[in-house]
Amino acid sequence: MIFNTDTAKKTAELLLQINAIKLNPKNPFTWASGWKSPIYCDNRITLSFPPIRNYLREEFAKNIEKQFGKPDVIAGVATGAIGIGMLVAEIMGLPFVYVRPEPKKHGRENQVEGFLQKGQNVLVVEDLISTGKSSLQAVEALKAAGANVKGMVAIFTYGFEIAEKNFKDANIEVYTLGNYDMLLKEAVAKQYITEDEYDTLKEWRKSPSTWGVEV
């Protein structure tokens, strides 16, 4: 769920402007999962543009407090959300931790890095939500460390049904700055894509795991 339509529109505009989101229906990308996709999103690029990263952190801070109240700790999901998570923690004056995909193989073998006390209220920051699997693994790691996870926020979501189901089953509330539907509207309005490409991108979202697969 997006925080609000004005923020979603502005976020889409900014991500398209700096090519953080690349749309290429005619020459699809291949994701790590093997899925063929006409879209690729790399929100880490936003960190290289001070006005844009400041906009994102300010919108996060304002809306986190409105929707969840002020947490005790901000947690970023490694590696993509460490940067933006730290910026959000900084502007909110809160401690910051980050969550690895899996525990380290050496040393203290931490999965959650930073100072976290049992019972603290934690708000998780993500850069991107696709299926939600890796995001929820971070949530489970925080819970295992004794945290009370209040919810999750992200810069962008593809809005897959599987992600909505996964978060609902895990009873985790998620809000995002931008989403796929608003992105496509902005992409057409600003002529990043044609109407035909818009239709292709809409079709892909219906069944991303099978789109572009020859049978």
Side-chain angles (χ1 to χ4, degrees), residues 4 9 15 32 48 59 75 77 84 99 133 144 148 150 161-163 166 168 175-176 180 189 193-194 208 211:
N4 61 72
K9 185 175 185 295
L15 295 180
S48 300
E59 286 298 308
V77 181
I84 190 65
V99 188
K133 183 179 176 183
N148 174 29
K150 299 289 288 181
E161 288 182 8
I162 184 65
N166 286 341
K168 185 177 180 181
Y175 282 87
T176 63
Y180 192 71
I193 57 173
T194 65
W211 184 86

Side-chain angles (χ1 to χ4, degrees), residues 38 157-161 164 179-181 184 199-209 211:
T157 178
Y158 290 108
F160 295 144
E161 288 182 8
E164 292 176 7
N179 68 359
Y180 192 71
D181 291 334
L184 294 193
D199 291 340
T200 299
L201 287 156
K202 289 283 283 187
E203 193 64 29
W204 167 76
R205 218 258 303 268
K206 292 178 184 176
S207 183
S209 62
W211 184 86

Side-chain angles (χ1 to χ4, degrees), residues 97-166:
V97 301
Y98 70 88
V99 188
R100 296 174 176 273
E102 58 185 30
K104 281 198 301 188
K105 305 293 186 187
H106 58 278
R108 296 170 62 200
E109 300 180 352
N110 291 340
Q111 185 165 3
V112 178
E113 297 285 7
F115 182 74
L116 179 67
Q117 293 178 298
K118 288 184 178 180
Q120 285 189 305
N121 293 323
V122 177
L123 195 287
V124 184
V125 176
E126 261 286 23
D127 66 323
L128 173 69
I129 292 174
S130 52
T131 64
K133 183 179 176 183
S134 59
S135 304
L136 287 170
Q137 286 174 344
V139 168
E140 289 308 309
L142 287 162
K143 287 182 175 179
N148 174 29
V149 179
K150 299 289 288 181
M152 181 178 293
V153 296
I155 297 174
F156 183 79
T157 178
Y158 290 108
F160 295 144
E161 288 182 8
I162 184 65
E164 292 176 7
K165 181 180 186 304
N166 286 341

